[in-house]
């Protein structure tokens, strides 16, 4: 399973390095996910090989939110004046994300049915 984690984190790290080196406007992890998708789509990485490691990471996903949470707590004085803006942004982006996800899933279900 260590090889699975190594592949997943190396691709994520590669995305981060690309983002930093060419000053790309997308976050490194997003670039890493796109690279990983391309590698899976082109069958350069077998999905069965990384599936167990990826599922383990997904099951323990909450652990990855601890460092950003600690960072937010240390910046509470900066956030306190903007809480209403942050709350409205969170609500709107959640609604937009749910809507786009629902439309995408519906499109894929309809496409698969044809």
């Amino acid at each position: 399973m260590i090889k699975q984690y190594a592949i997943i984190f190396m691709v994520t790290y590669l995305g981060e390095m690309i983002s930093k080196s060419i000053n790309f406007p997308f976050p490194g992890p997003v670039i890493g996910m796109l690279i990983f998708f391309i590698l899976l789509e082109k069958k350069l990485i077998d999905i069965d090989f990384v599936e167990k490691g990826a599922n383990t990471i997904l099951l323990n996903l909450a652990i990855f939110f601890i460092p950003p949470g600690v960072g937010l707590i240390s910046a509470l004085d900066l956030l306190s004046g903007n809480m209403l803006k942050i709350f409205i942004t969170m609500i709107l982006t959640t609604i937009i994300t749910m809507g786009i996800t629902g439309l995408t899933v519906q499109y894929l279900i309809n496409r698969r049915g044809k």
Side-chain angles (χ1 to χ4, degrees):
M1 186 145 36
I2 292 181
K3 288 181 184 178
Q4 296 171 354
Y5 292 145
I7 290 172
I8 292 168
F9 288 121
M10 283 187 337
V11 172
T12 304
Y13 184 72
L14 176 65
E16 190 67 39
M17 291 298 99
I18 290 171
S19 176
K20 296 261 191 238
S21 66
I22 62 174
N23 206 11
F24 205 63
F26 288 110
V30 173
I31 296 171
M33 285 191 299
L34 289 173
I35 293 169
F36 202 71
F37 174 75
I38 291 167
L39 292 172
L40 289 170
E41 188 68 26
K42 298 291 181 183
K43 308 256 189 266
L44 297 172
I45 295 177
D46 185 25
I47 194 165
D48 294 329
F49 179 72
V50 293
E51 186 173 22
K52 187 175 180 185
N55 285 335
T56 304
I57 290 171
L58 286 173
L59 288 172
N60 297 296
L61 195 60
I63 294 169
F64 294 103
F65 288 100
I66 293 172
V70 171
L72 284 174
I73 289 173
S74 67
L76 276 178
D77 57 327
L78 296 172
L79 298 174
S80 62
N82 298 312
M83 290 306 264
L84 182 62
K85 293 176 189 175
I86 293 169
F87 184 72
I88 291 171
T89 303
M90 286 172 44
I91 297 296
L92 289 176
T93 55
T94 300
I95 292 169
I96 292 168
T97 302
M98 290 173 67
I100 290 174
T101 302
L103 291 172
T104 303
V105 168
Q106 191 64 44
Y107 168 77
L108 292 173
I109 289 170
N110 290 338
R111 183 175 167 211
R112 190 174 193 203
K114 289 181 180 179

